[in-house]
Amino acid sequence: MNLTNPLKRWAFLAVASLSIGGFQCKSPQPADEKPGNNYARIDSTDTEADIIRKAANVVPSDRQFRWQQLELTAFIHFGVNTFTNKEWGDGTESPEIFNPTSLDADQWAQICKAAGVKLMILTAKHHDGFCLWPSKFTEHSVKNSPWKNGQGDVVKEAVDACRRVGIGFGVYLSPWDRNSPYFGDSAKYNDYFINQLTELLTQYGKIDEVWFDGANGEGPNGKQQVYDFDRWYNHIRELQPDAIIAVMGPDVRWVGTETGYGRDTEWSVVPVDEQQQDKIAQNSQQNVSFTPKNMMDDDLGSRDKIFKARSLVWYPAETDVSIRPGWFYHREEDDQVKSPEKLLDIYFNSVGKNGVLLLNIPPDKRGKIHQNDSLSLIQWKSLLDETFSVNLLKGSKVSVSSGKFSSGNDASGMTDGAYSSYWIADESDTTAVIEFQLSEKIKFDVLMLQEYIKKGQRIESFVLEYNDGDNWKEIVGGTTVGYKRLLRFDEVDANRIRLRITASRLNPTIAEIGLYRYPVTSK
Ligand code: FUL
């Protein structure tokens, strides 16, 4: 069965919805839209204004909030494919081919750290079923490889390396397993998968993210495997309650492309379908919540969409892309590593579009990250630092059309670089103006905005303007903001600047606003 990327992620959906259909609902809970909930149920009597109010009050769970603030995460695709020069193995590879000559997980973690990456996710098992840890439940693992005489454990080396540099660690565990004889024999394979999860989630200390892909090919018996996502999610919640379950999971959704470019309008509050609402109400995403639906449309969370919804959840976007054309290392791609400038553009279009970037950096046959990749990453980090080190609005005189600041009367909370200090407009206002007066003119071509998402995602449109001495002139405009929005435009030279929030679901917030200059070398 050929499941081409990226649509294959959804190939399993028919199967998934069967399992949802089979879920026995208890009597529904009453609607709950108290601030602090990451879901809201829409009642048939709700007016459009009620729905807007509910959407504006859906907020991230604690684990989603922690995850969103990571901004930069890395994928490490490594395994038998590294040695066969393939992207997808078929599970028939001999474990003997896995033999990195100088595997150095410290190098991976140090490069991640130096590039500003906050969490590293390792492909503990890809679709070929080969386990990078010595699993007790299969022979298809490093325990049968010549590497370290079968005594090695890549997962352990990677976790330890991440701990040493102080970044988080996550595992990619492919549900689709082209080696396992159980695959397609649903109950048996689901048990096998639980055993593998148990190993990974109990033997290595804290695991911060579990990443599931949706690929699902035919088993050796010609049957389609039915993944027991509910059971897997519950198991993860039990063993690692703080871990994010990503992509084929309830906490984080796939942005819908593998280019590193997210949507201009990216809502973290999206509808979930009718069948799933009672599950969500009962579980509040604490345990099992739902199996994701196709999240590839251009518009996921506009008013149009939410007016038709039965429930709304906080379900933010993760934007994955590889630094090379492939996910695994291939020598012939050594000169196709993305440049620092390209990575900066990707940053603007992923983190800067209300997403978390998941950037893949595949180690080579030595078990090391190639110097072309590390060089590009380090130069990218310099560009990021160069761009964002000085907020040109700092020290300006600020006036706001209404509202209050989280820290007394202090407007500087919006430009202090601390996310926790924010401004919120008066409750009755869904538009607002924030004006900045500087003592001297500044030159800028980048805008950074952040909403305080602990109050929800609310801003629907905004415009940045400057005063040329006589009139206000538009510089740039946008729709959603969310956790972070970055916009580039032609250079402006001004000392009176204002942000007009032109539409918002309830009163808007701003945690940070910044003006910067794009690095000269990248223009
Ligand atoms: C996909 C997989 O098929 C690719 O090989 C890669 O792991 C990517 C991140 O997810 O769906």
Side-chain angles (χ1 to χ4, degrees):
M1 178 171 185
N2 182 20
L3 295 163
T4 47
N5 251 347
L7 287 168
K8 70 184 169 52
R9 285 216 167 88
W10 309 105
F12 78 106
L13 277 175
V15 176
S17 54
L18 279 179
S19 78
I20 291 162
F23 183 85
Q24 294 300 304
C25 295
K26 296 189 203 123
S27 55
Q29 305 268 306
D32 192 342
E33 53 166 307
K34 286 195 299 288
N37 270 340
N38 69 347
Y39 75 94
R41 186 182 161 130
I42 311 295
D43 298 317
S44 53
T45 52
D46 280 343
T47 62
E48 290 190 347
D50 292 331
I51 296 174
I52 291 292
R53 195 183 64 252
K54 288 183 175 185
N57 281 316
V58 173
V59 297
S61 66
D62 288 347
R63 71 169 85 78
Q64 287 172 319
F65 183 61
R66 278 195 302 274
W67 171 86
Q68 189 82 51
Q69 291 176 292
L70 300 174
E71 294 195 5
L72 297 181
T73 60
F75 243 158
I76 299 283
H77 273 69
F78 189 56
V80 283
N81 296 338
T82 314
F83 298 88
T84 56
N85 204 26
K86 287 190 177 157
E87 278 292 299
W88 283 3
D90 61 10
T92 60
E93 314 70 19
S94 160
E96 303 223 334
I97 60 168
F98 183 84
N99 197 10
T101 48
S102 47
L103 186 136
D104 187 357
D106 280 315
Q107 187 233 19
W108 310 347
Q110 281 158 9
I111 291 171
C112 284
K113 176 79 177 185
V117 163
K118 301 287 182 345
L119 178 148
M120 187 176 103
I121 301 173
L122 174 69
T123 51
K125 180 183 87 165
H126 204 253
H127 309 329
D128 46 69
F130 182 78
C131 298
L132 292 184
W133 79 102
S135 175
K136 276 202 291 240
F137 301 96
T138 176
E139 292 308 309
H140 204 47
S141 97
V142 283
K143 72 184 180 192
N144 291 320
S145 297
W147 179 63
K148 297 200 165 175
N149 293 322
Q151 302 300 303
D153 182 344
V154 188
V155 174
K156 171 135 181 47
E157 295 202 15
V159 179
D160 290 349
C162 287
R163 303 252 196 279
R164 280 194 279 274
V165 299
I167 62 172
F169 180 77
V171 287
Y172 171 118
L173 190 66
S174 170
W176 188 28
D177 186 322
R178 304 178 81 185
N179 175 269
S180 172
Y182 309 128
F183 196 83
D185 191 342
S186 289
K188 272 199 188 140
Y189 181 75
N190 285 321
D191 287 346
Y192 174 70
F193 201 79
I194 284 280
N195 287 334
Q196 294 200 318
L197 275 173
T198 307
E199 288 183 324
L200 290 171
L201 302 180
T202 58
Q203 295 174 7
Y204 302 96
K206 193 159 184 292
I207 300 294
D208 299 291
E209 184 160 338
V210 180
W211 207 96
F212 294 141
D213 176 66
N216 184 350
E218 238 165 45
N221 58 3
K223 285 196 198 144
Q224 186 83 18
Q225 171 70 33
V226 180
Y227 298 140
D228 194 349
F229 279 111
D230 286 358
R231 185 171 163 216
W232 302 351
Y233 299 159
N234 275 322
H235 198 57
I236 298 166
R237 291 288 195 248
E238 216 169 277
L239 298 178
Q240 295 276 351
D242 291 338
I244 279 284
I245 312 176
V247 177
M248 295 314 306
D251 299 323
V252 167
R253 76 183 142 85
W254 183 46
V255 76
T257 80
E258 290 179 339
T259 59
Y261 288 72
R263 293 175 186 78
D264 286 338
T265 301
E266 190 62 84
W267 286 104
S268 292
V269 177
V270 295
V272 262
D273 72 24
E274 209 172 313
Q275 290 169 304
Q276 301 179 11
Q277 68 167 352
D278 292 325
K279 277 172 86 172
I280 293 165
Q282 286 159 20
N283 293 300
S284 175
Q285 280 183 289
Q286 296 310 308
N287 296 306
V288 178
S289 60
F290 62 101
T291 310
K293 287 275 286 183
N294 186 341
M295 289 283 174
M296 287 171 68
D297 291 356
D298 279 347
D299 173 12
L300 297 181
S302 68
R303 288 187 181 217
D304 229 34
K305 293 279 171 178
I306 64 175
F307 289 158
K308 294 181 196 123
R310 297 292 305 274
S311 323
L312 299 169
V313 281
W314 187 273
Y315 196 34
E318 181 177 73
T319 312
D320 63 343
V321 63
S322 183
I323 194 165
R324 288 164 170 256
W327 290 102
F328 284 87
Y329 175 84
H330 309 290
R331 201 176 52 186
E332 59 277 20
E333 293 178 352
D334 280 353
D335 58 357
Q336 293 178 63
V337 173
K338 292 187 173 63
S339 67
E341 292 75 22
K342 176 71 179 172
L343 293 177
L344 185 63
D345 199 45
I346 286 178
Y347 178 85
F348 268 70
N349 284 283
S350 52
V351 176
K353 284 186 175 166
N354 192 26
V356 167
L357 175 60
L358 175 55
L359 178 63
N360 180 58
I361 318 160
D364 59 20
K365 286 184 181 183
R366 294 171 305 165
K368 284 187 173 169
I369 292 170
H370 190 274
Q371 60 181 21
N372 292 2
D373 307 51
S374 56
L375 201 66
S376 190
L377 288 165
I378 302 308
Q379 289 175 352
W380 170 53
K381 178 62 163 53
S382 302
L383 292 177
L384 284 171
D385 290 347
E386 190 184 328
T387 314
F388 296 108
S389 56
V390 180
N391 181 353
L392 299 166
L393 282 179
K394 216 168 184 164
S396 54
K397 210 168 136 256
V398 186
S399 54
V400 289
S401 53
S402 84
K404 56 182 190 242
F405 303 97
S406 60
S407 47
N409 218 359
D410 191 3
S412 68
M414 283 189 290
T415 54
D416 64 356
Y419 188 75
S420 55
S421 49
Y422 63 95
W423 158 85
I424 182 162
D426 281 351
E427 239 171 74
S428 52
D429 291 343
T430 54
T431 61
V433 183
I434 307 175
E435 192 176 324
F436 301 87
Q437 171 80 54
L438 291 123
S439 49
E440 283 173 17
K441 283 191 167 184
I442 53 167
K443 286 190 168 60
F444 57 94
D445 54 11
V446 169
L447 168 69
M448 191 274 292
L449 290 173
Q450 293 193 281
E451 279 180 84
Y452 188 62
I453 56 170
K454 283 196 153 188
K455 294 274 178 201
Q457 185 183 354
R458 298 179 172 191
I459 296 175
E460 292 175 305
S461 62
F462 62 88
V463 206
L464 183 72
E465 295 170 331
Y466 75 100
N467 195 293
D468 69 356
D470 298 314
N471 297 303
W472 286 102
K473 297 205 158 150
E474 179 168 339
I475 302 170
V476 73
T479 53
T480 48
V481 175
Y483 176 72
K484 189 170 269 189
R485 187 67 207 260
L486 291 167
L487 286 166
R488 278 183 75 185
F489 39 84
D490 291 340
E491 190 173 89
V492 177
D493 192 7
N495 66 347
R496 273 184 79 193
I497 297 141
R498 70 183 186 186
L499 177 77
R500 282 198 302 119
I501 298 172
T502 46
S504 178
R505 301 172 174 177
L506 301 190
N507 49 331
T509 65
I510 292 287
E512 284 293 307
I513 172 167
L515 293 177
Y516 305 91
R517 296 190 74 169
Y518 208 72
V520 184
T521 50
S522 307
K523 283 183 180 163

